[in-house]
Amino acid sequence: MRNLNRFISLSLSVMLSLVARLLHLRTSSCQGSRRSMATIVSGNKTSKMVRERLRNEVEKMKSQFSGFRPSLVVLQVGDRDDSNLYISTKLKAAAEIGIDAKHVRLPNTASQDEVLQSIMSVNENLSVHGLIVQLPLDSVNPINTELITNAVSPEKDVDGLSCVNAGKLSRGDLKDCFIPCTPNGCMELIRQTGVSVAGKHAVVIGRSKIVGAPMHDLLLWNHATVTTCHSKTPDLPEQVSRADILVVGAGRAEMVRGEWVKDGAVVIDCGINHIPDETKASGKRVVGDVHYTSASQRAGFITPVPGGVGPMTVAMLMENTVQSAQRFLLKNQTRT
Amino acid sequence: MRNLNRFISLSLSVMLSLVARLLHLRTSSCQGSRRSMATIVSGNKTSKMVRERLRNEVEKMKSQFSGFRPSLVVLQVGDRDDSNLYISTKLKAAAEIGIDAKHVRLPNTASQDEVLQSIMSVNENLSVHGLIVQLPLDSVNPINTELITNAVSPEKDVDGLSCVNAGKLSRGDLKDCFIPCTPNGCMELIRQTGVSVAGKHAVVIGRSKIVGAPMHDLLLWNHATVTTCHSKTPDLPEQVSRADILVVGAGRAEMVRGEWVKDGAVVIDCGINHIPDETKASGKRVVGDVHYTSASQRAGFITPVPGGVGPMTVAMLMENTVQSAQRFLLKNQTRT
């Protein structure tokens, strides 16, 4: 009987601990479903703040150095509609900030040598601080885009796409390079959340030259532990579930599902995809690479699409141009 | 009494399942301790194979292009003992392969301009295909190492340390750049294991310019999902435990413990550390960044220290030099 009592008491304690564990699990998942929706990180608002700050900085420069204006050249080859739209957005943003932006357009009959010559002449022009070549190039002639991108002087490469700038960024020389505009905008949005990057686990989906690869570098040199995922990653949901900070530049509509996202994560969506939507007059709507509705129920912070990363890109191009002008002034001050 | 019986039967089934679970755990850990030791990936053997292959390639070049020899210049500033030792190893390896290697030594009184001038003259010399500047520079004058490294023509930068080569590697242009010798050697060792990199989870510890950062790039562009860890990573054991392929370039003796390593992983150890050892005549011995004894009980493949990554570095410098000579021939053939 004593043995039976001991057995019953032992069994009871085992069962009680199991029940306690189950209750704990239920409580956690209840907390999960009860938690509030993610805070929306607005690119519209943040880009406006950046542009206002830049306008003040340009004002200051102009008052300190009479007659001085930061100057940007946008070089276009051909006449693509989408390029025309992007360029007009850039020119408008520049004008508002007080940057002197010039649109140089070569005909679609331009040869590679003619494009290179245009670049060289802007490289040599001391009154220009930033030069971007609008991609893709729209020419009837074969033109090596890589060669064109790398012909831009690294000191004026405000798109940050040349090998030299990529090399500096990838090896941690962040103060001495131009950071590509989209990842730079993502970092600005992450800063807005107040979440510190150092020591966090960041996951980047995508490894493109303009988004994924430089994003990895930026997060790494801001001291996150960074995992880069891509089309060959076999366990994407598992990788994503470990991200305190998730940046997605995969180019696939709503690929990242809410269920994958870690509770409270910062989710930055660089995707711009058009999907069919019969409720819209145009028959389509814009979505990101993240399934917004489900992800915003798990994330702590999330960027919307549109109105998230998109508006930041142009703002950061302006930031790089102003920075280039400041470096120019500093160098010339040091010289005199 | 019926209730008591039901209770006892339920308790018994709960306890039996717990016992079964415990037994399962014991079995797994027994399997763990029963598995065979890791296969040793020998850098001595692999580097010998690489050097023999290169000797054959150089022979072929010489027979095809009479009087032609791949040529390497090793530029040294000052007279550090360790540098002298490294340089003599390089010169010896070059001689064995049939590379014409020249040691240019500037005195430790050389100025930055004098070093730059030496580099320029080698850059312009068409009969030289590779130029490395032995670091650290040993000069009584202040010299900007970054400036020196980047003065080497990207086409002759067989150490792969210039911004241009780093930029190309980091953005996936592997065919068009020189890959730094240590990570290139690690890749060669990984290839020797027969384990394919694509789709694997690789973890790199360290983000230095010569090991960690380019290693990340190489693994990424060979299509692994890559996590970079460093001094600010708070959960290193957990990160390491997920690595199918682990490359360690942390510079801390035996930092990675065997218990962290995933069963069957490929472990590549770039560390070279001296620790006290009273059993040795010198009072010290060389160990890697991985605790070899414990790690080799878990890993599928492991590199020893010494005799692992170390010998590969010089072999890959020779490979880059031969590759540079081949590119030079190809370019000149295309031109004629």
Side-chain angles (χ1 to χ4, degrees):
Chain A
M1 194 63 193
R2 210 173 136 193
N3 275 348
L4 183 67
N5 276 345
R6 269 186 69 189
F7 179 75
I8 291 174
S9 122
L10 186 66
S11 306
L12 266 172
S13 87
V14 166
M15 290 191 74
L16 278 174
S17 81
L18 279 172
V19 168
R21 188 126 186 248
L22 274 169
L23 279 174
H24 175 76
L25 284 174
R26 280 291 290 276
T27 319
S28 311
S29 74
C30 281
Q31 280 174 338
S33 62
R34 255 192 281 128
R35 69 181 300 286
S36 55
M37 297 277 284
T39 303
I40 296 171
V41 190
S42 164
N44 288 330
K45 215 184 278 178
T46 308
S47 70
K48 202 177 157 202
M49 276 166 46
V50 171
R51 282 180 282 128
E52 269 175 25
R53 172 170 55 75
L54 293 175
R55 200 174 54 191
N56 290 336
E57 284 179 32
V58 171
E59 273 299 328
K60 219 167 92 183
M61 264 190 233
K62 284 181 185 170
S63 69
Q64 274 186 304
F65 302 89
S66 159
F68 181 85
R69 290 190 84 178
S71 154
L72 172 70
V73 167
V74 184
L75 179 64
Q76 183 182 14
V77 180
D79 191 29
R80 284 174 63 112
D81 282 343
D82 55 353
S83 290
N84 292 337
L85 185 66
Y86 291 136
I87 290 172
S88 79
T89 311
K90 291 169 189 175
L91 297 178
K92 197 173 149 235
E96 278 172 16
I97 290 166
I99 293 170
D100 187 20
K102 194 176 158 198
H103 181 193
V104 175
R105 195 204 302 254
L106 298 178
N108 73 350
T109 52
S111 68
Q112 180 169 291
D113 274 351
E114 283 167 338
V115 181
L116 285 173
Q117 255 168 12
S118 274
I119 292 175
M120 290 311 148
S121 103
V122 180
N123 280 348
E124 284 159 18
N125 184 343
L126 281 179
S127 69
V128 178
H129 312 105
L131 164 60
I132 62 168
V133 182
Q134 187 69 39
L135 298 179
L137 301 165
D138 171 28
S139 172
V140 295
N141 301 306
I143 301 186
N144 180 341
T145 302
E146 204 68 16
L147 192 80
I148 296 297
T149 308
N150 282 308
V152 176
S153 157
E155 287 78 32
K156 299 190 181 187
D157 170 33
V158 285
D159 257 345
L161 296 180
S162 67
C163 282
V164 171
N165 278 311
K168 287 179 178 176
L169 177 57
S170 70
R171 300 303 178 250
D173 301 329
L174 269 69
K175 297 266 176 243
D176 188 34
C177 72
F178 288 112
I179 299 165
C181 303
T182 300
N184 209 5
C186 293
M187 279 307 292
E188 190 65 45
L189 292 175
I190 295 169
R191 270 190 288 271
Q192 287 301 314
T193 67
V195 172
S196 76
V197 173
K200 293 296 190 316
H201 189 155
V203 172
V204 177
I205 306 180
R207 47 182 170 168
S208 71
K209 286 183 190 195
I210 57 168
V211 182
M215 192 72 236
H216 159 272
D217 300 337
L218 267 177
L219 288 163
L220 182 72
W221 294 108
N222 278 280
H223 310 301
T225 301
V226 189
T227 301
T228 307
C229 300
H230 44 78
S231 55
K232 300 283 197 303
T233 298
D235 54 347
L236 198 56
E238 203 189 319
Q239 298 288 352
V240 167
S241 73
R242 287 198 285 266
D244 301 311
I245 297 167
L246 175 68
V247 183
V248 190
R252 286 182 56 192
E254 299 180 325
M255 184 191 68
V256 173
R257 315 301 300 180
E259 312 86 84
W260 305 358
V261 173
K262 183 174 176 176
D263 253 343
V266 176
V267 177
I268 308 287
D269 187 351
C270 303
I272 300 174
N273 311 284
H274 296 270
I275 60 167
D277 185 343
E278 287 176 3
T279 68
K280 304 280 173 187
S282 62
K284 59 185 182 179
R285 69 189 162 98
V286 174
V287 296
D289 292 349
V290 176
H291 188 263
Y292 185 81
T293 321
S294 57
S296 58
Q297 283 170 8
R298 308 265 295 200
F301 298 89
I302 192 165
T303 59
V305 176
V309 174
M312 293 304 295
T313 301
V314 172
M316 299 325 274
L317 174 64
M318 298 304 130
E319 169 132 315
N320 278 354
T321 306
V322 172
Q323 199 173 82
S324 183
Q326 283 165 336
R327 285 182 193 168
F328 172 85
L329 286 174
L330 198 69
K331 213 155 87 182
N332 280 34
Q333 264 184 320
T334 320
R335 269 187 196 151
T336 52
Chain B
M1 194 61 196
R2 212 173 135 195
N3 274 349
L4 183 67
N5 276 345
R6 269 187 69 190
F7 179 76
I8 291 174
S9 125
L10 186 67
S11 305
L12 267 172
S13 87
V14 166
M15 290 193 74
L16 278 174
S17 81
L18 280 172
V19 169
R21 186 129 186 249
L22 275 169
L23 279 174
H24 175 75
L25 285 175
R26 280 292 289 276
T27 319
S28 311
S29 74
C30 281
Q31 278 174 339
S33 63
R34 253 191 281 127
R35 72 179 298 286
S36 56
M37 295 279 283
T39 303
I40 297 171
V41 189
S42 164
N44 288 329
K45 216 185 279 180
T46 308
S47 71
K48 202 178 157 202
M49 276 166 47
V50 170
R51 282 181 283 126
E52 268 173 27
R53 173 170 54 74
L54 293 175
R55 202 176 51 190
N56 289 336
E57 284 179 32
V58 171
E59 274 300 327
K60 219 167 92 184
M61 264 190 233
K62 284 181 185 169
S63 68
Q64 274 186 305
F65 303 89
S66 157
F68 181 85
R69 290 190 84 176
S71 152
L72 172 71
V73 167
V74 183
L75 180 63
Q76 182 182 14
V77 180
D79 190 31
R80 284 174 63 111
D81 282 342
D82 55 353
S83 291
N84 292 338
L85 186 66
Y86 291 136
I87 291 172
S88 80
T89 311
K90 290 169 190 176
L91 297 178
K92 198 175 150 234
E96 277 172 16
I97 289 166
I99 293 170
D100 186 20
K102 194 176 157 196
H103 181 192
V104 176
R105 195 205 301 255
L106 299 177
N108 74 350
T109 51
S111 69
Q112 180 169 290
D113 274 350
E114 282 166 337
V115 180
L116 285 173
Q117 255 168 11
S118 275
I119 292 175
M120 290 310 148
S121 102
V122 181
N123 281 347
E124 284 159 20
N125 184 343
L126 282 178
S127 70
V128 178
H129 312 107
L131 164 59
I132 62 169
V133 182
Q134 187 68 39
L135 300 178
L137 300 164
D138 170 29
S139 173
V140 294
N141 301 306
I143 300 187
N144 180 341
T145 302
E146 203 69 14
L147 191 79
I148 296 298
T149 308
N150 281 307
V152 175
S153 157
E155 288 77 31
K156 300 190 181 187
D157 170 32
V158 285
D159 258 345
L161 295 180
S162 68
C163 281
V164 171
N165 279 311
K168 287 180 177 177
L169 176 58
S170 70
R171 299 304 179 249
D173 301 330
L174 269 68
K175 296 266 177 240
D176 188 34
C177 71
F178 287 112
I179 299 166
C181 303
T182 301
N184 209 6
C186 293
M187 279 306 291
E188 190 65 45
L189 291 174
I190 294 170
R191 271 189 288 271
Q192 288 300 315
T193 66
V195 173
S196 76
V197 173
K200 293 295 190 316
H201 189 155
V203 173
V204 177
I205 306 180
R207 47 182 170 168
S208 71
K209 286 183 192 194
I210 57 166
V211 183
M215 192 71 235
H216 158 272
D217 300 338
L218 267 177
L219 289 162
L220 182 71
W221 294 107
N222 278 281
H223 309 301
T225 301
V226 190
T227 301
T228 307
C229 300
H230 44 77
S231 55
K232 300 282 197 304
T233 298
D235 54 348
L236 198 56
E238 203 188 320
Q239 298 288 352
V240 167
S241 74
R242 288 198 284 268
D244 302 310
I245 298 167
L246 175 67
V247 183
V248 190
R252 284 182 56 193
E254 299 180 325
M255 183 191 68
V256 173
R257 314 302 299 180
E259 312 86 85
W260 306 358
V261 173
K262 184 174 175 174
D263 252 343
V266 176
V267 177
I268 308 287
D269 187 350
C270 303
I272 300 173
N273 312 285
H274 296 270
I275 60 167
D277 184 342
E278 286 176 3
T279 68
K280 304 280 172 187
S282 62
K284 60 186 180 177
R285 67 188 164 100
V286 174
V287 296
D289 292 351
V290 175
H291 187 262
Y292 184 82
T293 321
S294 57
S296 58
Q297 282 171 9
R298 309 263 296 198
F301 298 89
I302 192 165
T303 59
V305 177
V309 173
M312 293 303 295
T313 301
V314 172
M316 300 325 273
L317 174 65
M318 299 303 130
E319 169 133 314
N320 279 353
T321 307
V322 172
Q323 199 174 83
S324 183
Q326 283 165 336
R327 286 182 192 168
F328 172 84
L329 286 174
L330 197 70
K331 214 156 87 183
N332 280 34
Q333 265 184 319
T334 321
R335 270 186 196 152
T336 53

